[in-house]
Amino acid sequence: MTDQREKLILSNEDVSNNGQEKKVFPFADLPSSLLELIMCCLVLRDNIRASAVCKAWRKVAEAVRIAGKHPWVITFRKRDDLIVLYDPMERKRYTLNLPELAGTDVCYSKDGWLLMRRSSLVDMFFFNPYTRELIDLPKCELSFQAIAFSSTPTSGTCVVVALRPFTRYNVRISICYPGATEWANEDFSCSLGFDPYMHSNLVYANGHFYCFSSGGVLVDFDLASRTVSHQVWSEHRSPYIHSDEWFNRPKRIYLTEQKGELFLMYTCSREKPMVYKLVSSNWEEMGSTTLDGVTIFASMYSSETRVDVLGMRNNVYFPKYGLKSKTCTSYSFDEGRYHKQFPKVKYMWQMRKELCPLRSLWIEPPPKNV
């Protein structure tokens, strides 16, 4: 069977002046750079199928094949400058002594970088816990309720955006970048209404920053034009938030993206997480058959997604674990249940901390040379 596949050819007629010449190119003779471009566009399942075509394709497919690589939990302890890294798959804990982070609070995480804020509340900086590289930002005089950055601060295209709802109909957006001397502040109106107390984290995708409010309002900040638009989906106001049945239970809204596609998630105590994907301007509810291998790693500050992580497919993972815990708390859509029992708590607000502690979030795992 393999020999037959290796004999497959890619035909390309090259007609000469007499119209009789024909050239044929075997698959194995395709330029490796072209093969790499093809293989990089394939999902894991199609990559594996393509690797069976011939030896050359298998070599390139295996070289570019990247099974989903899960993030780790990073936890900032309150009383010292130690941080804890936890691998939820290997179930191992590591500690790092980072005096640079003493007296600071974490605000966001992306691509292995942290956005930190010092106790003065106005001094902010980027920090890479693996290289210990630190990049200062200008003082941020105004408070904010959500903040995010677009790419690594060393990329040359990094932009930091902070969001602060003044009232239900007024939002301030502050913009900064590494090397800037000050923040730029712009105020926008939100005629559809934006809940200043119950909204998601900020998410960057395709040149836009997004934030979702409990009223079903998606705020869209276009970075290039510096304009804000918003759209409302009344049918996607979370019942966890707007129903008296769950009135006294802690709730949370999460927003994340996967290859530019937005995912929205509601959680409420022990209830099943409600996950939606934005498809053609409509939010479609996701389940075990429609998530298609997506794993959501949720936290208070930033959430991430991965695809085809072995042992983690169709799950939501939260950055809560204990000293004796076997793994993080997670919800399996395939099994329809949470893994790791919820601990008993005296007050309902403590349940929110159990799922997403304030000082814990997800970060890229350390490089092999660290």
Side-chain angles (χ1 to χ4, degrees):
M1 185 67 177
T2 303
D3 293 338
Q4 291 178 349
R5 284 175 176 160
E6 290 181 7
K7 293 179 181 179
L8 291 173
I9 58 175
L10 180 65
S11 297
N12 179 32
E13 293 190 2
D14 184 10
V15 182
S16 66
N17 292 333
N18 57 18
Q20 296 180 351
E21 287 189 13
K22 177 189 279 189
K23 292 183 180 180
V24 293
F25 303 95
F27 278 119
D29 289 347
L30 283 175
S32 58
S33 58
L34 178 59
L35 282 175
E36 288 180 3
L37 288 175
I38 296 172
M39 296 300 178
C40 287
C41 295
L42 301 180
V43 298
L44 179 61
R45 177 173 52 197
D46 293 336
N47 176 290
I48 295 173
R49 290 174 177 172
S51 67
V53 171
C54 63
K55 292 180 180 178
W57 280 44
R58 182 178 63 194
K59 181 178 179 180
V60 176
E62 291 177 347
V64 304
R65 184 181 302 161
I66 303 176
K69 193 176 182 181
H70 65 276
W72 289 17
V73 179
I74 182 168
T75 300
F76 296 80
R77 305 194 339 177
K78 293 182 179 180
R79 300 181 179 178
D80 50 40
D81 52 14
L82 287 179
I83 66 170
V84 178
L85 290 171
Y86 179 73
D87 181 348
M89 285 292 285
E90 297 294 332
R91 301 175 181 178
K92 294 181 179 179
R93 298 172 72 251
Y94 307 88
T95 57
L96 290 175
N97 186 0
L98 299 175
E100 301 96 326
L101 302 185
T104 63
D105 294 311
V106 64
C107 300
Y108 195 76
S109 171
K110 185 181 179 71
D111 298 331
W113 284 82
L114 301 169
L115 181 59
M116 307 297 299
R117 181 170 59 176
R118 294 187 176 92
S119 56
S120 62
L121 302 182
V122 298
D123 292 326
M124 304 193 68
F125 62 95
F126 289 105
F127 186 75
N128 188 318
Y130 307 130
T131 65
R132 300 182 72 165
E133 187 174 359
L134 189 151
I135 301 175
D136 282 311
L137 287 173
K139 292 184 181 297
C140 184
E141 302 292 345
L142 296 174
S143 62
F144 54 85
Q145 292 192 12
I147 193 168
F149 57 90
S150 60
S151 57
T152 59
T154 56
S155 65
T157 59
C158 177
V159 178
V160 186
V161 168
L163 179 146
R164 179 190 180 191
F166 281 112
T167 66
R168 188 174 182 82
Y169 300 100
N170 293 279
V171 174
R172 168 164 290 183
I173 291 181
S174 302
I175 308 163
C176 189
Y177 56 89
T181 57
E182 62 182 6
W183 291 73
N185 301 306
E186 298 185 40
D187 295 335
F188 301 91
S189 61
C190 184
S191 59
L192 298 176
F194 186 85
D195 189 340
Y197 304 107
M198 181 61 70
H199 54 78
S200 74
N201 50 289
L202 270 176
V203 167
Y204 175 80
N206 302 323
H208 294 245
F209 284 86
Y210 299 93
C211 188
F212 198 88
S213 168
S214 63
V217 177
L218 179 69
V219 172
D220 175 354
F221 176 64
D222 187 329
L223 191 58
S225 63
R226 302 290 178 92
T227 57
V228 168
S229 61
H230 39 279
Q231 188 172 352
V232 63
W233 290 269
S234 299
E235 66 276 20
H236 288 292
R237 295 174 49 183
S238 170
Y240 292 154
I241 297 172
H242 300 281
S243 174
D244 292 339
E245 181 181 354
W246 294 284
F247 180 76
N248 290 321
R249 298 187 186 183
K251 311 161 190 73
R252 188 70 185 171
I253 306 174
Y254 306 85
L255 195 63
T256 186
E257 63 91 24
Q258 171 64 33
K259 293 185 177 179
E261 296 181 312
L262 294 180
F263 285 79
L264 170 69
M265 183 175 71
Y266 296 107
T267 59
C268 177
S269 187
R270 297 177 174 85
E271 302 298 325
K272 168 188 173 182
M274 302 174 65
V275 178
Y276 301 89
K277 179 181 177 181
L278 187 58
V279 180
S280 300
S281 299
N282 290 307
W283 292 99
E284 296 183 1
E285 187 168 3
M286 298 286 101
S288 59
T289 58
T290 51
L291 277 171
D292 197 22
V294 170
T295 306
I296 298 176
F297 297 89
S299 77
M300 296 279 284
Y301 309 103
S302 57
S303 298
E304 301 188 20
T305 59
R306 297 290 188 275
V307 178
D308 292 322
V309 179
L310 297 178
M312 289 184 165
R313 292 167 50 90
N314 300 337
N315 277 261
V316 178
Y317 274 78
F318 301 94
K320 171 61 183 178
Y321 68 95
L323 294 176
K324 298 182 180 179
S325 296
K326 294 182 178 180
T327 186
C328 295
T329 300
S330 64
Y331 181 88
S332 169
F333 284 92
D334 292 335
E335 301 176 23
R337 69 183 184 92
Y338 279 96
H339 287 270
K340 183 178 179 293
Q341 292 294 320
F342 282 82
K344 293 181 179 180
V345 295
K346 185 176 180 181
Y347 302 105
M348 290 306 300
W349 60 265
Q350 293 176 323
M351 188 62 68
R352 182 181 301 175
K353 287 189 175 182
E354 294 301 331
L355 282 176
C356 293
L358 290 173
R359 300 179 67 84
S360 294
L361 70 166
W362 299 93
I363 190 172
E364 290 290 322
K368 292 183 179 180
N369 61 347
V370 175

